[in-house]
Amino acid sequence: MKEEEVNRCQIQEWYPRFKSDSIKTMIHELPESFIEYLMDDHGPFLLPLSIDDNDALPNRIHKPEEEEDFEVSEGSEDESEQPSPPPSFPELEMKIKESIESLGGSVFPKLNWSAPKDAAWISSTGNLCCNSFSEVAILLRASDSLVHDLCHVYDSCSDKTVSRPPKFFLALRKWYSSLRPEMEFRCFVRNGILVGVSQREVTGFYPALVEKKDELITIVQRFFMYKVKGNFESESYTFDIYVTNDDRVKLLDFNPWGAFTLPLLFTWEELEVNSNKEGDHLEFRLVESQRGVRPGLKTAVPYDYLDTSPGSGWDEFLKKADEELGQQIRSPQAGA
């Protein structure tokens, strides 16, 4: 994998070209001071000071000036240890506020590549829906998985020359509460050929998907041929889509082939084998029975940022899950 292949998967790179087939998104360049704030893991967890009197988190996050623990009496020997005041990003806050309003009042955030899915627990709603700058900031600040974007995104590149991109961007994407997670799919393209499609929400069995499998194959193939193929510069990559109730397709994301991208119901070895077969060979995998469910993937860790290297624990779990899936696929009663 090359650095340029990773760079093409940044949302600020691909979205302008595909925005007519994607979710409405507004993108802002982040100041370096805000990146430093996200990476600061020393001291207390502080939200930036808001210029808006309508603080979205008055009861969940207390400002340090309201905490007695931060008060130091005059003449104390600990005066030099007083914490720094919380940061403030008024220009960024105003841009985010305007974007949220223009996108209908609710958004979900992501950086160049990743969303802070592992921080959903800190949200009052348990998801990534944000209605204010404060809610965006707390998700980004609480996320450990965003360290991937900030420090490690090029680690798997054979021509690695840098540890991070020169600029970071915040993408605010319109929030749809009605989206059904089972209708999201990951598509695998090798050497310009669509070789695999996997259900992305693999922690549940949805019988209606099995009944609609042949129709979904046609929908995905048509979208790839007319919307994606030839319009994305890499030869090998993955892209995520959402299929609506009326069978329209929305492009959600691009990811590099291999490396930190999770193959879900496949292994990368299986996808490589598919790509070496003569002709166009597309394999479409769904969770086709309760036996194929992968409950262990229902974690706070984003699908795209699991450590599956030997010894991580996930390697053994995914190996066993693949064995179960293989039995499901070979079983004549699969999906019954």
Side-chain angles (χ1 to χ4, degrees):
M1 183 171 61
K2 304 293 186 181
E3 283 187 3
E4 63 179 11
E5 295 176 299
V6 175
N7 288 335
R8 290 180 189 131
C9 295
Q10 297 177 96
I11 190 168
Q12 77 276 6
E13 295 294 328
W14 65 260
Y15 178 76
R17 186 178 302 177
F18 293 95
K19 65 180 180 180
S20 62
D21 293 298
S22 189
I23 294 175
K24 190 174 182 181
T25 302
M26 303 195 76
I27 300 173
H28 302 285
E29 183 177 338
L30 292 172
E32 190 63 27
S33 57
F34 189 77
I35 301 303
E36 293 172 357
Y37 163 72
L38 295 182
M39 296 183 66
D40 181 15
D41 58 358
H42 302 290
F45 187 110
L46 301 179
L47 278 178
L49 285 176
S50 174
I51 59 175
D52 191 344
D53 291 335
N54 299 319
D55 192 334
L57 303 168
N59 297 318
R60 286 184 279 147
I61 302 293
H62 294 287
K63 292 185 173 64
E65 62 265 28
E66 297 170 351
E67 297 285 353
E68 293 182 0
D69 292 343
F70 286 92
E71 294 180 1
V72 179
S73 59
E74 201 171 313
S76 168
E77 295 180 359
D78 295 329
E79 282 185 356
S80 61
E81 298 180 8
Q82 289 189 38
S84 301
S88 180
F89 309 96
E91 292 183 9
L92 177 63
E93 180 176 355
M94 285 304 299
K95 291 178 181 178
I96 290 177
K97 181 180 179 181
E98 291 170 0
S99 292
I100 291 175
E101 291 174 353
S102 69
L103 291 170
S106 298
V107 301
F108 69 95
K110 68 176 295 180
L111 295 189
N112 301 31
W113 292 274
S114 306
K117 295 179 182 178
D118 62 321
W121 61 271
I122 205 169
S123 166
S124 62
T125 57
N127 55 40
L128 301 188
C129 179
C130 296
N131 303 303
S132 69
F133 169 72
S134 293
E135 291 180 333
V136 171
I138 194 174
L139 283 176
L140 299 179
R141 183 67 175 80
S143 175
D144 289 326
S145 70
L146 290 188
V147 173
H148 165 258
D149 284 24
L150 299 174
C151 304
H152 301 293
V153 73
Y154 298 113
D155 285 0
S156 299
C157 294
S158 59
D159 61 344
K160 178 182 177 182
T161 59
V162 295
S163 60
R164 50 158 283 179
K167 296 180 180 179
F168 286 99
F169 294 83
L170 173 66
L172 300 174
R173 317 203 73 184
K174 184 177 177 64
W175 176 264
Y176 295 92
S177 59
S178 60
L179 292 187
R180 298 157 53 199
E182 72 272 18
M183 296 308 293
E184 186 176 350
F185 302 93
R186 172 156 293 170
C187 308
F188 301 87
V189 179
R190 185 62 165 168
N191 298 322
I193 299 173
L194 183 63
V195 297
V197 179
S198 172
Q199 178 180 335
R200 202 167 190 281
E201 209 305 271
V202 297
T203 66
F205 168 51
Y206 303 92
L209 278 187
V210 179
E211 298 172 5
K212 197 176 181 180
K213 183 175 181 178
D214 291 340
E215 183 181 349
L216 286 169
I217 291 175
T218 301
I219 291 171
V220 173
Q221 286 179 317
R222 184 186 301 120
F223 182 78
F224 172 67
M225 288 300 298
Y226 292 103
K227 298 294 185 177
V228 179
K229 188 173 183 178
N231 292 320
F232 191 71
E233 295 176 355
S234 295
E235 285 294 309
S236 300
Y237 55 93
T238 75
F239 63 96
D240 295 342
I241 60 171
Y242 181 84
V243 179
T244 66
N245 291 335
D246 57 357
D247 294 337
R248 290 179 296 113
V249 177
K250 291 294 182 181
L251 181 61
L252 301 179
D253 206 2
F254 282 97
N255 282 292
W257 177 274
F260 53 81
T261 306
L262 200 68
L264 300 173
L265 294 176
F266 293 95
T267 65
W268 286 114
E269 290 77 13
E270 289 173 328
L271 290 165
E272 288 285 358
V273 170
N274 285 354
S275 69
N276 291 327
K277 293 180 179 179
E278 292 186 6
D280 293 346
H281 182 79
L282 172 61
E283 186 171 358
F284 196 112
R285 288 191 179 180
L286 302 172
V287 175
E288 300 198 9
S289 74
Q290 288 292 349
R291 289 179 60 191
V293 170
R294 297 188 174 190
L297 289 184
K298 202 178 201 60
T299 70
V301 184
Y303 291 152
D304 298 335
Y305 194 58
L306 288 177
D307 177 10
T308 57
S309 60
S312 66
W314 282 106
D315 59 329
E316 285 300 316
F317 168 78
L318 292 174
K319 180 180 178 181
K320 293 179 181 178
D322 287 332
E323 292 173 356
E324 287 289 330
L325 179 63
Q327 293 177 12
Q328 169 191 306
I329 293 173
R330 291 190 296 271
S331 171
Q333 297 180 341

